Amino acid sequence: MTIPSLASAPPDGLIWSQARLEALYRYGILDTDPEPQFDRIVRLAARHFGMPMALTSLIDADRQWFKARVGLQDTQTPLGNSICAVTIQQPGTLVIPDAQLDPRIRLYDAVTGEPHVRFYAGSPLITPDGHKLGTLCVLDRQPRTFTAEDEADLEDFAALVMDEFSLRRAVNELSHLALNDPLTGLPNRMHQRQHLSQAMRRAERAGERVVLALLDLNGFKGVNDTLGHAAGDALLVQVGQRLRDTLATSDLVARLGGDEFTVVLTDLRSPRGAEVAMKRVQQAFTVPFVVAGQSVDVNWSIGMAVFPDDTVEQEQLLRLADQAMYTAKRARDGRPHWNRRPTPV
């Protein structure tokens, strides 16, 4: 996501602070679907304070976006109409007993028009390193008072929201680690199997084909033996990046382990598309890599199998592609080998 230049920030640059926005984006919450744990907190907050409206609001570079809300239909509003943006620019919890009497916000659309906010109390959502992402706030259409005990309770509700944000982020990070190769950043074997299963189901519904290609680097052991394992790791990273750069974004590139990679080619009416894609891969790898100051040539043994032509079973498709790859290794002819030559359509 592009962060606006600080040169065009408002006089108080906190909202547009590069560090604050990067902290917000790291949580990966913006524009996500409603989630019950956040809906539950705003419902409880509204009930606890006897308010008709409650929000979990995140302050983006040019808007405020609501992760959860009670009593409002809008999912976001412009930044210039955000009372929560005022909240994060001042210390602590902001309480406005009567918005029509507050010079900072009395002309805001939310005050002069729907939902006709008169009372507002918002507590900032603060990350462990001190960045304010937004607020947990409660609102009313009538002027209200708010005690020091109420402020403390609202801050506790805001802390619950941040706990859920942190938990959600940790789960997402663990999921990423479980499904991706730590060296290359590519999807790993488990991720590839999940993707292949989904791709086969989609292809069956659409009357299309899925081609599974298994790729094994030839001579990779020699790189480790002569240049060292660090150089071998660097080569694998570069190989993964070149594969991603060569193939379509709809095609999955994964590392199975060691020097073995796999490609899942989708949206195919004919295996001819897969042949063209593999020729692009071969052409791209005619350019040597440079690792540890040395030029390294890379070539592949490639085995390919087609769903549903060869089989409709995922495990069998993997076995057939693997057998074709070992046929390619034995042949040493530098070309991809199919489990069986598909009939063009």
Side-chain angles (χ1 to χ4, degrees):
M1 184 177 297
T2 302
I3 298 175
S5 167
L6 295 180
S8 58
D12 187 333
L14 173 63
I15 289 176
W16 287 32
S17 158
Q18 188 92 2
R20 189 195 74 81
L21 289 170
E22 288 176 352
L24 171 62
Y25 301 151
R26 280 196 296 271
Y27 278 83
I29 297 286
L30 284 173
D31 299 314
T32 55
D33 292 332
E35 296 175 73
Q37 63 269 38
F38 300 106
D39 295 338
R40 188 177 302 119
I41 292 173
V42 296
R43 285 199 307 269
L44 288 172
R47 189 180 310 149
H48 176 80
F49 295 108
M51 302 279 182
M53 295 172 281
L55 304 168
T56 295
S57 174
L58 296 175
I59 306 303
D60 200 357
D62 57 358
R63 59 174 177 154
Q64 69 171 351
W65 178 80
F66 307 138
K67 175 60 181 173
R69 64 197 190 280
V70 167
L72 284 178
Q73 294 301 314
D74 291 338
T75 58
Q76 63 182 34
T77 64
L79 193 59
N81 192 41
S82 168
I83 307 175
C84 296
V86 176
T87 302
I88 71 168
Q89 295 181 76
Q90 58 106 63
T93 295
L94 175 64
V95 177
I96 300 176
D98 190 342
Q100 290 183 355
L101 303 180
D102 192 304
R104 294 169 296 182
I105 67 168
R106 62 187 178 85
L107 297 180
Y108 278 18
D109 291 346
V111 178
T112 61
E114 285 294 336
H116 296 288
V117 172
R118 293 292 296 275
F119 174 85
Y120 172 93
S123 186
L125 306 174
I126 306 174
T127 67
D129 50 357
H131 295 296
K132 296 179 180 180
L133 307 184
T135 75
L136 186 284
C137 64
V138 290
L139 311 94
D140 202 344
R141 297 180 179 87
Q142 302 296 328
R144 296 279 294 263
T145 59
F146 217 57
T147 67
E149 183 179 354
D150 289 333
E151 289 189 33
D153 287 347
L154 187 63
E155 288 164 5
D156 285 342
F157 277 112
L160 288 175
V161 173
M162 278 309 306
D163 287 345
E164 290 294 341
F165 280 178
S166 297
L167 177 60
R168 186 184 186 281
R169 180 181 177 186
V171 169
N172 288 342
E173 289 175 349
L174 288 173
S175 176
H176 178 81
L177 290 173
L179 294 175
N180 291 272
D181 173 52
L183 175 64
T184 64
L186 293 173
N188 62 14
R189 186 184 298 271
M190 182 184 298
H191 191 162
Q192 182 258 5
R193 285 176 176 268
Q194 291 181 2
H195 179 87
L196 179 59
S197 177
Q198 294 167 2
M200 290 167 67
R201 288 198 297 270
R202 288 195 304 270
E204 184 176 21
R205 290 194 298 268
E208 295 178 343
R209 288 178 167 86
V210 174
V211 172
L212 174 66
L214 297 184
L215 303 86
D216 189 82
L217 285 174
N218 296 323
F220 178 71
K221 183 176 182 300
V223 175
N224 279 335
D225 291 344
T226 57
L227 300 179
H229 288 278
D233 287 347
L235 177 61
L236 291 173
V237 171
Q238 292 183 42
V239 163
Q241 185 61 54
R242 193 173 293 186
L243 279 171
R244 280 188 292 198
D245 291 344
T246 303
L247 293 164
T249 55
S250 59
D251 299 327
L252 180 83
V253 177
R255 182 186 177 213
L256 300 184
D259 58 355
E260 290 188 351
F261 293 78
T262 183
V263 174
V264 179
L265 301 158
T266 57
D267 302 326
L268 299 172
R269 289 289 175 181
S270 165
R272 172 64 181 163
E275 291 183 329
V276 171
M278 287 299 102
K279 285 180 180 177
R280 287 202 308 271
V281 168
Q282 289 181 297
Q283 182 63 35
F285 281 80
T286 59
V287 179
F289 292 84
V290 177
V291 292
Q294 301 290 320
S295 178
V296 177
D297 291 317
V298 168
N299 60 81
W300 297 98
S301 295
I302 302 175
M304 305 170 74
V306 185
F307 168 89
D309 302 49
D310 294 333
T311 180
V312 296
E313 299 293 334
Q314 179 175 332
E315 292 302 319
Q316 179 68 359
L317 192 72
L318 290 162
R319 283 194 293 271
L320 293 175
D322 191 57
Q323 292 170 8
M325 183 187 71
Y326 279 99
T327 299
K329 273 190 172 297
R330 289 192 297 272
R332 297 180 180 273
D333 55 10
R335 64 179 180 83
H337 278 248
W338 295 89
N339 167 63
R340 59 183 177 85
R341 174 59 54 181
T343 303
V345 176

